[in-house]
């Protein structure tokens, strides 16, 4: 909401020395977000005067039309002689009054004016357009043509109110009253402790039987509908300069007198209005819900198909306007062309349901100044005053006649009252305000307050956001000043810190970051089509999603069941922007719907919920296990003087899973697997033992080429995902001091020949079990394949076995016996034989 300081002063007698910055500070202190203060005309310097065009000479021989004009500027140039000016605009003629800037002046943007020779003539100044003066668009797209009665030589800076300060306020959704000069003036009056001259306090005639006929069929959608009629408007009447300038300062473009007046009153009082050409309205004006499939052409020229929930204004033909959003083209006010302008208008001032208007505006993707106000709350009591103000201005400016008929359809309603303890704001703020301060502040915002210890507060009609006692407490606190609230930090009880789950979450993140991964948090929203891209089976549990009732993006209406879609999207974006060596990770929640759907309970706000209430709420929420995932592409180790780079592969993804498992203190079994997005021949399955049974907790490896293509990823992209909560449940992360033996290690190497399809993990597991307690460590250090030496379909796996006893030095025979036992068990389980 843009608020000119000059307009604000009309309703509040602000001190003459107060600047826009001073008013900004007062309003910010009261809780309004004043984003900027724009200084109009700050770098404007005269002389800038009114001139009258005496002659126009068309200059020939140039690429564009050029005119050489003489302009009477009175005594402003010091000589009284006509001013010679070259101008390229075409929208003025001899006798027109225009705005002339003379040599020595400076226009907005630091543009200095001086006499200069151009197009073979010397131009002593310039004839100005609105854009050149920083006025904004006036609809003419050319030179400013002033009314004929404007005095020649008059100072145009004062005439056009070019110097002003405009406050740009970001109005929150609950303060619809501040989308008007009236509302902001009330806040300024409270801040300065000054009286408000309320522009809505007008003498308004009561409804009578002579008004324009109206039929409201939906009183819930429209609880107030006021209609006034003005006839005999002059078709040639134009909006006066002061009205045009005020509209331009608040960011609106002047259109025609009748439309400008309705826009002016809307900005002044906050009540949207609409003017209909009376000659185009046929029969009774109605308010109802649209019939499915009805159509209307709105003022923007778009034909719209209506929805059954849309609230519409109608006449005998059907819809003539989208209620509270935009009028229809079939009753549009005609512009002030000679003899063709609208002479009789019907003025509508109504109050519509905020939710209905908001839904209509979003359904049709049609946000307007009117819908913005109705969505946030409009004062229903201001409708009659706004209609009267519009009638008065039309009569004054266009010579019209206000008809005696007044129509006002009102649905019965009672004012909203709230019972609040007088000391409730004190308890909320932790400050002792006292009853007198509470009553005074509530009365300043317009409330009627009665009672002593228990106050009965009647909320003013212009504050629909005041619904309960905490809203009233907030009003007292903000007006007393948020900056005056004491800063009191909570004191946590001693001995409490992070939970075990939180500590594991942080340790896992630190471990991955230490291994070279970069954290990339993503939004938890996904499209259900992503599961097709991941290659999941039709009956995969991951396809069961929790859908959002009101998603931020219609293309992503579900909550994620895997971290991979977000991470793969982040990897694709970074790769597309030139970062090709990537290692990303994320730890976060995934969402799994429960088999039984429950409705969440509404928790109380006046006390702490009980454990049973919290448990009931938790039971209605989806399961939310915490996962950890990584994705890799490009080089895992960079090239340098030490040698070539090493590309990231499936083994790095598997090692990331082992790294997280070590942080959790969980024993992770790694074996070959096959699942969804991973390449079936390069996929590892992570298994842990839970209550004696093996449980798959994740997968790692190289992604399937089809998945890589579907996501637009680099070739041979690898990924890993683990259920961190299950690791926490089975893990023991109690710190263990390393055992240091004083006895030497005995190393034995074995090379085993197995079938190519036998996983290394199976061979390693058999070796560990067969070697027994003496085995300290095992490492695969070579994989060899050669059909001539090993045979068709065979491979050789070479392991280094480390044996050590804690109480003695092992003999060669003991180490060899342990090695032979390991080889024997590996041969029994996997068919491995020692390589000769």
């Amino acid at each position: 909401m843009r608020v000119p300081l000059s307009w604000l002063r009309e309703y509040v007698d602000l001190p003459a020395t107060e600047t826009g910055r001073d008013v900004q500070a007062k309003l910010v202190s009261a809780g309004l977000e004043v984003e900027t203060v724009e200084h109009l005309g700050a770098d404007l310097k005269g002389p800038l005067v009114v001139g009258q065009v005496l002659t126009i000479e068309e200059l020939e021989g140039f690429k564009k039309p050029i005119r050489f004009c003489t302009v009477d500027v009175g005594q402003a140039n010091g000589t009284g002689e006509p001013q010679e000016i070259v101008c390229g605009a075409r929208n003025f003629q001899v006798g027109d009054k225009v705005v002339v800037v003379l040599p020595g002046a400076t226009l907005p943007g630091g543009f200095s004016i001086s006499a200069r020779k151009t197009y073979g003539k010397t131009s002593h100044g310039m004839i100005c357009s609105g854009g050149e003066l920083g006025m904004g668009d006036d609809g003419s797209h050319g030179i400013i043509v002033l009314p004929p009665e404007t005095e020649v030589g008059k100072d145009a800076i004062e005439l056009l109110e070019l110097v002003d300060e405009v406050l740009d306020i970001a109005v929150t959704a609950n303060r619809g009253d501040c989308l008007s000069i009236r509302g902001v003036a009330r806040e300024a009056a409270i801040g300065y402790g000054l009286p408000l001259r309320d522009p809505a306090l007008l003498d308004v005639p009561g409804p009578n039987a002579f008004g324009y006929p109206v039929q409201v069929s939906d009183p819930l959608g429209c609880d107030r509908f006021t209609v006034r009629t003005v006839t005999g408007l002059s078709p040639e009447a134009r909006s006066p300069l002061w009205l045009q300038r005020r509209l331009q300062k608040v960011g609106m473009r002047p259109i025609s007198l009748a439309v400008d007046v309705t826009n002016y009153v809307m900005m002044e009082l906050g009540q949207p209005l609409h003017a209909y050409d009376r000659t185009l309205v046929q029969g009774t004006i109605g308010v109802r819900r649209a019939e499915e499939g009805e159509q209307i052409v709105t003022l923007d020229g778009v034909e719209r198909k209506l929805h059954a929930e849309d609230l519409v204004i109608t006449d005998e033909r059907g819809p003539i306007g989208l209620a509270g959003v935009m009028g229809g083209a079939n009753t549009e006010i005609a512009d002030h062309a000679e003899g063709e302008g609208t002479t009789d208008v019907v003025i509508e001032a109504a109050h519509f349901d905020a939710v209905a208007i908001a839904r209509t505006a979003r359904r049709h993707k049609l946000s307007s100044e009117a819908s913005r106000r109705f969505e946030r709350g409009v004062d229903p009591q201001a409708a009659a005053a706004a209609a009267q103000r519009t009638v008065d201005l039309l009569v004054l400016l266009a010579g019209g006649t206000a008809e005696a008929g007044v129509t006002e359809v009102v649905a019965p309603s009672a004012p909203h009252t709230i019972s609040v303890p007088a000391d409730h704001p004190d308890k909320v703020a932790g400050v002792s305000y006292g009853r007198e301060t509470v009553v005074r502040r509530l009365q300043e915002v317009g409330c009627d307050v009665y009672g002593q210890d228990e106050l009965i507060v009647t909320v003013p009609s212009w504050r629909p956001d005041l619904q309960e006692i905490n809203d009233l407490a907030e009003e007292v606190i903000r007006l007393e000043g948020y900056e005056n609230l004491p800063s009191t930090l909570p004191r946590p009880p001693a001995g409490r810190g992070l939970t075990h789950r939180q500590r594991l979450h942080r340790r896992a993140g630190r471990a991955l970051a230490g291994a070279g991964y970069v954290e990339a948090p993503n939004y938890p929203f996904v499209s259900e089509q992503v599961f097709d891209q991941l290659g999941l089976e039709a009956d995969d549990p991951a396809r069961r999603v929790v859908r959002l009732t009101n998603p931020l993006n219609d293309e992503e209406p579900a909550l994620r069941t895997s971290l991979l879609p977000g991470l793969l999207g982040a990897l694709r974006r970074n790769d597309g922007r030139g970062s090709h060596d990537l290692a990303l990770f994320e730890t976060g929640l995934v969402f799994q719907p429960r088999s039984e759907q429950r409705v969440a309970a509404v928790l109380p706000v006046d006390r702490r919920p009980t454990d049973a209430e919290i448990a009931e709420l938790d039971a209605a929420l989806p399961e939310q296990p915490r996962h950890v995932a990584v994705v890799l592409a490009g080089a895992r180790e960079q090239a340098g003087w030490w040698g070539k780079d090493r590309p990231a592969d499936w083994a790095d993804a598997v090692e990331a899973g082992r790294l997280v498992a070590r942080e959790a203190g969980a024993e992770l079994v790694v074996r070959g697997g096959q699942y969804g997005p991973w390449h079936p021949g390069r996929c590892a399955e992570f298994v842990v033992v839970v209550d004696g049974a093996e449980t798959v907790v994740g997968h790692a490896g190289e992604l399937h080429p089809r998945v890589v293509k579907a996501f637009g990823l680099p070739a041979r992209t690898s990924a890993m995902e683990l259920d961190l909560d299950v690791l926490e449940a089975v893990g023991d992360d109690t710190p263990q001091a390393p055992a240091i033996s004083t006895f030497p290690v005995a190393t034995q190497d074995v090379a085993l020949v197995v079938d190519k399809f036998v996983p290394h993990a199976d061979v390693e597991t058999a070796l560990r079990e067969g070697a027994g307690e003496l085995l300290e460590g095992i490492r695969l250090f070579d994989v060899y394949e050669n059909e001539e030496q090993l045979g068709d379909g065979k491979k050789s796996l070479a392991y280094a076995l480390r044996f050590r006893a804690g109480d003695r030095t092992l003999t060669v025979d003991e180490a060899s016996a342990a090695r032979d036992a390991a080889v024997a068990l590996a041969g029994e389980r996997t068919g491995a034989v020692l390589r000769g």
Side-chain angles (χ1 to χ4, degrees):
M1 175 67 191
R2 291 171 56 84
V3 180
L5 191 59
S6 59
W7 199 350
L8 194 64
R9 289 181 182 276
E10 191 170 308
Y11 308 125
V12 184
D13 290 326
L14 300 175
T17 56
E18 289 294 282
T19 65
R21 293 291 183 191
D22 299 327
V23 178
Q24 177 189 29
K26 287 288 186 182
L27 295 178
V28 169
S29 178
L32 294 184
E33 184 181 350
V34 183
E35 294 187 324
T36 59
V37 178
E38 184 179 350
H39 298 270
L40 301 182
D43 51 357
L44 179 64
K45 176 185 174 184
L48 189 72
V49 299
V50 176
Q52 184 172 20
V53 180
L54 300 178
T55 64
I56 298 177
E57 177 187 350
E58 300 288 346
L59 302 182
E60 304 293 340
F62 300 103
K63 293 183 179 179
K64 61 179 181 178
I66 298 296
R67 312 168 96 184
F68 181 65
C69 311
T70 59
V71 184
D72 179 13
V73 294
Q75 297 299 318
N77 57 4
T79 64
E81 296 295 325
Q83 201 80 1
E84 296 179 339
I85 299 174
V86 175
C87 183
R90 314 289 297 176
N91 68 313
F92 65 95
Q93 56 190 358
V94 172
D96 281 346
K97 303 289 181 64
V98 294
V99 177
V100 178
V101 57
L102 300 178
T106 303
L107 293 182
F111 181 59
S112 299
I113 302 300
S114 60
R116 65 190 184 97
K117 189 168 184 179
T118 179
Y119 297 104
K121 301 285 186 180
T122 300
S123 182
H124 298 273
M126 189 168 73
I127 302 175
C128 297
S129 68
E132 291 163 340
L133 298 179
M135 295 171 55
D137 183 17
D138 62 356
S140 67
H141 305 290
I143 294 303
I144 301 171
V145 178
L146 301 172
E149 64 273 12
T150 309
E151 178 185 350
V152 172
K154 184 178 179 62
D155 183 1
I157 296 178
E158 178 183 351
L159 175 70
L160 299 176
E161 302 178 15
L162 297 178
V163 179
D164 201 350
E165 292 181 276
V166 178
L167 286 73
D168 194 351
I169 303 175
V171 179
T172 54
N174 66 318
R175 291 303 304 273
D177 60 304
C178 288
L179 285 174
S180 66
I181 304 297
R182 178 197 184 200
V184 177
R186 183 180 290 107
E187 294 296 319
I190 295 172
Y192 282 94
L194 297 171
L196 169 70
R197 288 188 292 275
D198 192 344
L201 295 180
L202 302 174
D203 290 331
V204 179
N208 54 50
F210 308 106
Y212 198 96
V214 172
Q215 176 64 45
V216 177
S217 302
D218 190 343
L220 295 178
C222 175
D223 58 8
R224 186 177 295 265
F225 199 92
T226 301
V227 173
R228 301 290 299 276
T229 306
V230 181
T231 60
L233 301 178
S234 171
E236 292 83 15
R238 299 180 57 184
S239 301
L241 287 175
W242 64 266
L243 192 149
Q244 293 186 45
R245 288 295 295 133
R246 285 192 169 178
L247 289 178
Q248 289 172 334
K249 289 177 184 179
V250 298
M252 302 190 78
R253 181 173 65 88
I255 299 174
S256 63
L257 178 59
V259 176
D260 292 349
V261 167
T262 58
N263 286 336
Y264 177 85
V265 175
M266 177 180 66
M267 302 306 297
E268 181 181 57
L269 301 182
Q271 168 66 54
L273 301 108
H274 190 71
Y276 303 92
D277 188 327
R278 183 176 181 177
T279 61
L280 301 178
V281 179
Q282 298 180 11
T284 300
I285 292 178
V287 183
R288 61 169 172 83
R289 300 285 174 170
E291 296 177 5
E292 192 68 40
E294 275 189 307
Q295 294 184 343
I296 183 176
V297 178
T298 46
L299 289 174
D300 57 359
V302 177
E303 184 174 339
R304 303 182 185 276
K305 187 176 181 180
L306 301 179
H307 188 275
E309 292 184 5
D310 291 337
L311 202 62
V312 293
I313 313 298
T314 65
D315 64 4
E316 291 180 352
R317 297 165 295 178
I320 59 174
L322 271 176
V325 180
M326 185 175 287
N330 54 355
T331 56
E332 182 179 6
I333 296 291
D335 206 348
H336 52 74
E338 287 191 23
E340 299 178 2
T342 297
T343 59
D344 300 342
V345 297
V346 176
I347 306 299
E348 165 214 313
H351 184 261
F352 301 109
D353 176 62
V355 174
I357 301 307
R359 288 178 175 173
T360 296
R362 283 156 179 74
R363 189 179 297 117
H364 294 282
K365 296 179 174 60
L366 183 61
S367 179
S368 65
E369 292 289 344
S371 67
R372 287 181 61 223
R373 284 162 175 77
F374 280 122
E375 290 173 20
R376 290 162 174 78
V378 169
D379 180 6
Q381 303 293 334
Q388 182 63 46
R389 176 75 164 138
T390 304
V391 168
D392 292 343
L393 287 173
L394 288 176
V395 170
L396 175 67
L397 302 176
T401 302
E403 289 195 350
V406 177
T407 302
E408 191 168 20
V409 179
V410 181
S413 63
H416 181 52
T417 60
I418 304 172
S419 178
V420 55
D423 62 349
H424 182 69
D426 301 9
K427 295 178 180 179
V428 173
V431 176
S432 180
Y433 292 125
R435 179 188 177 279
E436 290 186 2
T437 299
V438 171
V439 172
R440 173 171 57 84
R441 289 303 191 183
L442 292 178
Q443 288 175 337
E444 284 177 344
V445 299
C447 297
D448 289 332
V449 185
Y450 301 95
Q452 293 299 318
D453 294 338
E454 190 75 17
L455 303 178
I456 305 300
V457 181
T458 302
V459 175
S461 59
W462 56 82
R463 290 299 302 275
D465 59 305
L466 302 182
Q467 292 293 321
E468 46 103 12
I469 59 174
N470 287 320
D471 295 330
L472 300 180
E474 183 182 2
E475 289 300 294
V476 175
I477 295 168
R478 76 175 181 88
L479 294 179
E480 283 295 304
Y482 291 119
E483 68 275 11
N484 296 323
L485 291 177
S487 177
T488 305
L489 296 177
R491 296 182 179 180
R496 294 188 182 181
L498 299 176
T499 65
H500 184 271
R501 188 187 195 206
Q502 290 169 329
R503 289 197 299 271
L504 175 58
H505 177 208
R506 293 193 178 188
R507 286 204 315 275
R510 283 196 296 266
L512 289 171
Y517 291 85
V518 177
E519 187 170 14
N522 294 284
Y523 289 117
F525 313 115
V526 296
S527 165
E528 294 184 61
Q529 285 71 35
V530 78
F531 302 123
D532 296 328
Q533 294 176 289
L534 289 174
L536 300 185
E537 298 292 340
D539 58 348
D540 194 299
R543 284 183 175 270
R544 294 183 62 244
V545 295
V546 178
R547 293 180 180 82
L548 299 172
T549 302
N550 187 21
L552 295 179
N553 182 352
D554 291 338
E555 296 181 358
E556 296 180 332
L559 292 174
R560 66 189 179 190
T561 56
S562 167
L563 300 182
L564 289 183
L567 275 178
L568 295 177
L571 186 140
R572 181 184 64 248
R573 287 191 297 274
N574 282 276
D575 181 72
R577 293 168 184 171
S579 298
H580 304 303
D581 302 326
L582 297 163
L584 309 178
F585 84 94
E586 180 179 8
T587 56
L589 302 179
V590 298
F591 304 86
Q592 300 167 352
R594 297 180 186 268
S595 56
E596 179 185 355
Q597 297 293 330
R598 299 185 183 181
V599 177
V602 178
L603 297 182
V605 296
D606 58 343
R607 59 174 173 81
R608 186 188 185 281
T610 64
D611 293 341
E613 289 173 331
I614 295 176
E616 183 182 358
L617 177 64
D618 288 341
L621 298 177
E623 296 285 353
Q624 301 177 53
R626 184 177 294 277
H627 282 202
V628 58
V630 305
V631 293
L632 305 100
R636 187 72 178 106
E637 296 176 3
Q638 296 294 323
W641 58 266
W642 51 84
K644 296 181 179 180
D645 61 358
R646 182 180 70 81
D649 61 14
W650 61 269
D652 295 300
V654 173
E655 181 57 28
R658 286 197 173 108
L659 178 64
V660 173
R662 285 196 294 270
E663 290 296 324
E667 185 176 347
L668 194 66
V669 178
V670 181
R671 63 192 185 195
Q674 183 172 342
Y675 178 69
W678 282 278
H679 192 297
R682 297 170 186 152
C683 175
E685 184 177 76
F686 294 140
V687 177
V688 296
V689 177
V690 181
D691 297 331
E694 290 188 344
T695 301
V696 177
V697 294
H699 295 83
E702 183 180 314
L703 294 179
H704 197 288
R706 286 197 298 268
V707 175
V708 170
K709 181 179 180 180
F711 280 91
L713 304 173
R716 306 189 80 91
T717 296
S718 299
M720 179 279 294
E721 184 165 13
L722 266 174
D723 189 326
L724 202 54
D725 283 354
V726 177
L727 291 183
E728 178 194 3
V730 302
D732 179 9
D733 57 357
T734 304
Q736 300 289 333
I740 301 175
S741 176
T742 60
F743 298 98
V745 65
T747 303
Q748 297 272 358
D749 293 346
V750 295
L752 303 177
V753 178
V754 296
D755 292 331
K756 282 187 177 181
F757 64 82
V758 175
H760 142 68
D762 292 349
V763 178
E764 180 182 322
T765 300
L767 289 173
R768 284 183 183 278
E769 292 184 16
E773 296 181 353
L774 294 179
L775 183 67
E776 182 182 78
I778 183 172
R779 178 175 63 89
L780 175 69
F781 65 85
D782 184 50
V783 178
Y784 178 71
E785 295 181 9
N786 188 309
E787 291 185 3
E788 293 182 1
Q789 297 184 15
L790 302 178
D792 186 24
K794 299 291 185 177
K795 65 182 177 181
S796 172
L797 303 177
Y799 294 91
L801 308 179
R802 292 170 58 89
F803 298 99
R804 195 191 316 252
D807 57 350
R808 69 190 186 281
T809 299
L810 293 177
T811 65
V812 174
D813 291 340
E814 287 177 312
S816 297
R819 179 202 63 188
D820 293 343
V823 172
L825 186 59
E828 178 183 338
R829 289 189 179 178
T830 66
V833 295
L834 277 173
R835 181 178 170 188

